[in-house]
Amino acid sequence: MSEFERRAQVLDAKDVLAKQRELFALDDGVVYLDGNSLGALPRHVPARMADVITREWGELRIRSWEESGWWTAPERIGDRIAPLVGAAPGQVVVGDSTSVNVFKALVGAVRLADEGRDEIVVDATTFPTDGYIAESAARLTGSRLVAVAPGDVPAAVGPRTAAALVNHVDYRTGRLHDLPGVTAAVRAAGALAVWDLCHSAGALPVDLDAHGVDLAVGCTYKYLNGGPGAPAYLYVAERHQRRFDSPLPGWNSHADPFAMTPGYAAAEGALRGRVGTPDILSMLALEAALDVWDGVSVDTVRVKSLALTDFFLECVGAYVPEGRVACVTPRAHAERGSQVSLSCPDAPAVMKELVARGVVGDLRRPDVLRFGFTPLYVGFADAERAARVLAEVLG
């Protein structure tokens, strides 16, 4: 047994989150490091979904909108996500995809901005869809789109800026951006800060309320383990809810949905973020999946995340032949999310072989190997084995 294998055993024995791993359906002999794309299945979710399908849908049918709580699911589940992103109740609503919620948030932010503000600042390194949505939102609102590096956002915002859209963690590199500092700079310029939390929520503290974020969006199928295509969520700070004007008003966000009136009157609070009929099956799978967070502190998750990624990088440095990979994820804790990205010239072939050997990460073409560390179910022995197998593949 190597020094690193012994250290992994000691660290796993001290892991206060070790019990959480038992709540997930994980294959023996497989190291799953792709939870930053699709979280693992919590063991109890299939039984919950069987009940939803056979009893709530199969027996109660239409009655389940009231008797099973389907109608209130978007805000109820939103309130369960709220503590994970540092939000008070009543500010998060679940539904639709991340892309749709980015559109709602960005157009809504421009409509909230003061008259004469006709620029949208966007993270130039953003996930492509966010950029596409930002372009569309700019056309719709008659705004000029200004793309800058995330670190340059504070200098780019000014008297004409309506809103700034930034990713909290870069999906390629795992770099963590300065949410408190950027938000403060955007708001000091009189604009609204809109954050994409897809690669941070459930992996590290976000603290939306404490840092004065205006609007935020995020997915639930990564670190929140909600399942493939699970509905996303929209955060609208309470101070903005009365004036929030969604570009997608639907009957579900109407003040009196069943009145079926031709004129639209928006509901109060975060309900304005609803649009059409909720996707109940995937929404209730998400609600069940969130049970794994009961009694878990996001701060504890962050401590383990940093320890895991530190240990993995140390193992890579010791095991992998020099010059075969280069780390593109920042080493500094304040600049790192919960993934490690390694640049490798033959990345596609390397990742294919890693998966064949039971180490599941993913690839960002042309040359980035991504390894996502989900602290609820990834252990230190997993990190050591992943680095050791990587070295064997590259050897």
Side-chain angles (χ1 to χ4, degrees):
M1 181 181 294
S2 72
E3 171 200 349
F4 288 103
E5 287 175 291
R6 285 193 295 270
R7 284 177 56 192
Q9 286 187 350
V10 172
L11 290 167
D12 278 335
K14 296 179 179 179
D15 179 15
V16 298
L17 294 175
K19 287 287 186 182
Q20 299 306 117
R21 183 184 179 93
E22 300 172 6
L23 303 179
F24 291 86
L26 299 166
D27 297 327
D28 291 338
V30 174
V31 177
Y32 188 65
L33 300 180
D34 207 8
N36 54 329
S37 284
L38 177 63
L41 171 69
R43 291 184 185 277
H44 66 284
V45 170
R48 169 60 179 141
M49 293 314 296
D51 181 61
V52 169
I53 292 170
T54 60
R55 184 180 61 84
E56 295 186 7
W57 179 15
E59 297 174 14
L60 295 177
R61 292 179 285 274
I62 196 70
R63 291 162 53 193
S64 274
W65 285 105
E66 292 292 337
E67 295 180 27
S68 300
W70 290 1
W71 184 256
T72 58
E75 58 267 30
R76 182 179 71 243
I77 302 171
D79 281 346
R80 292 195 65 183
I81 292 173
L84 302 178
V85 294
Q91 299 179 102
V92 178
V93 65
V94 173
D96 305 310
S97 67
T98 304
S99 302
V100 171
N101 281 309
V102 169
F103 183 72
K104 294 181 212 170
L106 198 50
V107 174
V110 174
R111 291 176 175 179
L112 283 166
D114 293 338
E115 189 176 348
R117 291 182 174 269
D118 58 356
E119 289 182 350
I120 296 173
V121 173
V122 65
D123 170 0
T125 63
T126 189
F127 188 76
T129 295
D130 285 18
Y132 308 155
I133 295 293
E135 290 178 4
S136 179
R139 291 195 301 272
L140 179 69
T141 60
S143 302
R144 184 172 76 97
L145 194 64
V146 180
V148 299
D152 294 335
V153 170
V157 294
R160 294 182 59 180
T161 307
L165 171 65
V166 190
N167 276 246
H168 196 192
V169 172
D170 186 284
Y171 78 100
R172 294 184 191 87
T173 67
R175 174 179 289 276
L176 172 64
H177 297 129
D178 181 11
L179 183 146
V182 171
T183 299
V186 170
R187 294 193 61 196
L192 284 85
V194 182
W195 286 89
D196 183 328
L197 310 177
C198 284
H199 288 85
S200 59
L204 54 93
V206 179
D207 297 328
L208 296 177
D209 286 352
H211 298 309
V213 170
D214 297 294
L215 298 108
V217 302
C219 67
T220 61
Y221 47 79
K222 293 181 170 58
Y223 296 109
L224 298 184
N225 310 298
Y233 57 89
L234 170 69
Y235 163 88
V236 182
E238 184 178 11
R239 64 185 178 279
H240 293 309
Q241 289 177 2
R242 186 179 59 82
R243 295 181 53 236
F244 179 68
D245 181 12
S246 173
L248 296 172
W251 79 284
N252 253 242
S253 62
H254 196 285
D256 187 0
F258 293 97
M260 302 295 176
T261 57
Y264 180 74
E268 294 296 323
L271 290 179
R272 293 184 178 208
R274 293 175 65 154
V275 184
T277 305
D279 42 351
I280 289 299
L281 297 183
S282 58
M283 193 166 289
L284 296 186
L286 165 63
E287 182 174 35
L290 291 171
D291 290 347
V292 300
W293 286 94
D294 290 348
V296 175
S297 161
V298 178
D299 290 329
T300 301
V301 168
R302 177 60 167 166
V303 170
K304 182 179 175 183
S305 164
L306 291 172
L308 276 170
T309 48
D310 278 344
F311 184 64
F312 176 70
L313 286 168
E314 190 178 355
C315 291
V316 168
Y319 290 163
V320 174
E322 187 174 354
R324 287 295 279 121
V325 297
C327 183
V328 296
T329 301
R331 301 276 180 158
H333 286 182
E335 298 175 1
R336 187 195 311 164
S338 199
Q339 75 181 53
V340 172
S341 295
L342 303 175
S343 175
C344 177
D346 45 350
V350 169
M351 184 53 69
K352 183 176 181 180
E353 183 61 23
L354 283 172
V355 173
R357 297 189 188 199
V359 175
V360 181
D362 74 359
L363 174 74
R364 284 295 175 265
R365 292 182 296 176
D367 62 351
V368 173
L369 303 170
R370 290 198 323 170
F371 302 95
F373 291 83
T374 306
L376 293 186
Y377 55 78
V378 173
F380 292 90
D382 295 324
E384 187 277 335
R385 182 184 164 199
R388 180 160 35 89
V389 174
L390 176 64
E392 293 170 359
V393 171
L394 295 174

